[in-house]
Amino acid sequence: MCGIVGFTGRQNAAPILLDGLKKLEYRGYDSAGIAVMDDNGITVQKVKGRIANLCEKTKDGEAVPGFTGIGHTRWATHGAPTEENAHPHLSNDGRFAVVHNGIIENYSTLREELLADGYHFESETDTEVIVHLLEMYYNGSIREALIRTANRLSGSYALGVISSEEPGKIYAVREASPLILGVGIGENYFASDVTALVNHTRNVIYLEDGEFAELSESSIKIFDVLGQEVSKKPTRVLWDVQAAEKGGFEHFMLKEIMEQPGAVKATIAPRIRDGKVVFEELQGILPYLADIRKIIITACGSAYYAGCAGRYALERLTRIPVEVELASELRYSEPLIDDTTLVIVISQSGETADTIAALKECKTRGARTLAIVNVVGSTVAKLADYTIYTWAGPEIAVATTKGYTTQITVLYMLSVYFSDHLWRLTVPEETLTDMLMELPRRIQQAIDMNPTIPALAKKYHDHKALFFIGRNTDYATALEGALKMKEISYLHAEAYAAGELKHGTIALIEEHQPVIALCCNPSIMEKTLSNIVEVKSRGAEVLALTFRNNQKILSTADDLLFIPDVDALFSAVIEIVPLQLLAYYVAKENGCDIDKPKNLAKSVTVE
Ligand code: AGP
């Protein structure tokens, strides 16, 4: 996810663009840039790192004169966070500049075509194909060039464009990425969200998918995908800036929980083509895939629990033994690793000290290494032999949610991809990829099916301890559910393999002790039901997470959370969502600092 802004009017654009980018920095902050137009043409200034570096380089914009411009703050998805990969991107002839938020899924095909046509690329990004297509299609009308360019793109894009061919104008194009126009007096704007606009105007127009706009200081024209002009009335923004950064949500954590359908879709969609999982970044691993005798997944915290959840699909589909190890343990355990071992390292930040140390230890022992990371160009990504990025966008809340579910999603896709290339699939690949493509919708359903969670939180928020129990895939999810509860609500919570309770821990179950029972795996449902009866007979109050039609559980549990029907093979990314929301609302009841819990950091870069 990135932030884009545009301005045209009768005052210097650069300081306004920088101010807008500062308000969008939570959307992405690994590099930034502006392009400003004056009588001498387009000037582009870009930096690696934060907006502050761009302000310093441009003397807060004073060093870049011109009344028309566009700006971008980046969350890298294709190409490391470098100055060359920062936006805006300039056409070879210097007449067009583009900023982009989204993912161009067919960029590699377009890049090959443009290279063959003699266009020169400065960056590794997907975005740069757009500015060369504009140059190629321009024949006197920018509107026409934009329509022809947009017709070649597949994926998601919010674009900002300026051209020296049309001084004083900025163009905005929207497809599956938010883009809002700001209506001023003698000046006009666009931005990725209202955060960047409300200091200048509260009159905004929300572009719809397929629409594009031509803005000058005195006019805004909006067109549909066929180039027909459409009329749209401005609406008034009532949010304050702080609320707008969180998209109207009270906390970043709740916003990021709600972003999970989109984050999982962004992670899946570009990698499924014609019913098959495609990992272009893993071509080099295929020749020796058949030599892999063991897979070790290693990580910390929720990333470790993501490994625990994903290992079931990985083993079931690839038939390769999978071990999941805490990075802080693995690094000191003299692991039995050699070149027949594939080590999968999972990390949202890519900067966790124990995970980096474990990765180095495994490389030293000859393992081939594959990283699943959210931050492009991070240390883990650079150290691993292969890297698959989750495209969750920046995760601001310390407690991970979309980072966790997109990590598991990549493990699911990897399971199908490896199984296909090992000739071990027992069902048509398309059946599995259809199930994967369904996940974003199922996650949304899991959010919508549980309106009682705030009330349940009021009931459970002041117990001194909570138990989470489950078996197999349910147990893996219970581990993450307990961690979420602990780290943001400060209630003691423990996850137990349901079958283990009777071996000691059931001694702790007393009258009214809350037990959260995960019952989302039909093949072992009866066993978990007996565990529910066990704890209820000792006075526990059971909150069960299960399917709507599970009558036995429904008639046994005291309270219920639901998930939509989904195969247990891919259920972990759905099961966790009601538990994330339960932890969130319990923490809210307890008055905790949800986005910045005490004693925690977003990335644990120390051992
Ligand atoms: C998750 O909610 C926690 N904030 C923490 O356990 C985190 O998952 C762990 O520190 C690993 O971080 P990483 O994914 O950035 O490596």
Side-chain angles (χ1 to χ4, degrees), residues 300-303 346-350 352 355 398-400 407 480 483-484 487 601-604:
C300 300
S302 293
I346 306 176
S347 176
Q348 191 282 131
S349 64
T352 301
T355 306
V398 166
T400 184
Q407 287 161 0
E480 171 61 9
L483 176 61
K484 283 282 112 22
E487 67 176 329
K602 184 58 187 170
S603 177
V604 184

Side-chain angles (χ1 to χ4, degrees), residues 18 33 72 92 153 163 201 288 391 395 421 452 509 591-592 595 603:
L18 293 172
H72 186 274
N92 289 164
L153 304 177
S163 170
T201 176
Y288 62 78
W391 285 330
E395 190 174 60
H421 287 278
T452 62
I509 303 297
C592 299
D595 285 336
S603 177

